[in-house]
Amino acid sequence: QVQLVESGGGLVQPGGSLRLSCAASGTIFSINAMGWYRQAPGKEREFVASITRRGITDYADSVKGRFTISRDNAKNMVYLEMNSLTPEDTAVYYCNTAPRGMVDWGKGTLVTVSS
């Protein structure tokens, strides 16, 4: 059974930083590119960033230059370093396969950017 477990969210002030982590089961992690997605209140889930097994990355325009995605293939982990956060980044963040989520979504981790 494929499992995705996100962590690292929390409350942060505008301009602050957070690092999200995602633990993925081995089967899916070894085959696919992985991505981060987010869903803000009242909005649809949207793509944030992705990374292939070889480390090729892609970002949504809204986060380019502020967010960095990375992965540790040995640990089946994918990370999202978020800097210069704004209230518009407030959302539940999820990881899944990329370019679209093909496995059951995890519970996500809530990021709230507020003063």
Side-chain angles (χ1 to χ4, degrees), residues 83-107:
N83 299 310
S84 301
L85 286 162
T86 73
E88 288 68 37
D89 296 315
T90 295
V92 178
Y93 285 71
Y94 304 86
C95 67
N96 209 311
T97 59
R100 60 187 183 278
M102 295 188 292
V103 301
D104 290 342
W105 294 89
K107 295 181 179 180

Side-chain angles (χ1 to χ4, degrees), residues 20-92:
L20 307 183
S21 300
C22 171
S25 63
T27 300
I28 197 69
F29 197 85
S30 64
I31 296 174
N32 290 282
M34 296 296 295
W36 283 96
Y37 305 81
R38 67 186 181 186
Q39 186 167 18
K43 296 186 178 180
E44 294 187 352
R45 187 178 288 145
E46 64 177 1
F47 167 79
V48 175
S50 64
I51 185 168
T52 68
R53 290 194 70 242
R54 294 187 177 184
I56 298 172
T57 58
D58 188 26
Y59 297 92
D61 288 342
S62 59
V63 307
K64 279 182 181 177
R66 300 188 299 120
F67 291 11
T68 302
I69 189 171
S70 61
R71 64 191 288 167
D72 185 330
N73 291 332
K75 296 181 178 180
N76 293 348
M77 297 289 293
V78 60
Y79 306 98
L80 187 68
E81 186 75 34
M82 306 186 297
N83 299 310
S84 301
L85 286 162
T86 73
E88 288 68 37
D89 296 315
T90 295
V92 178

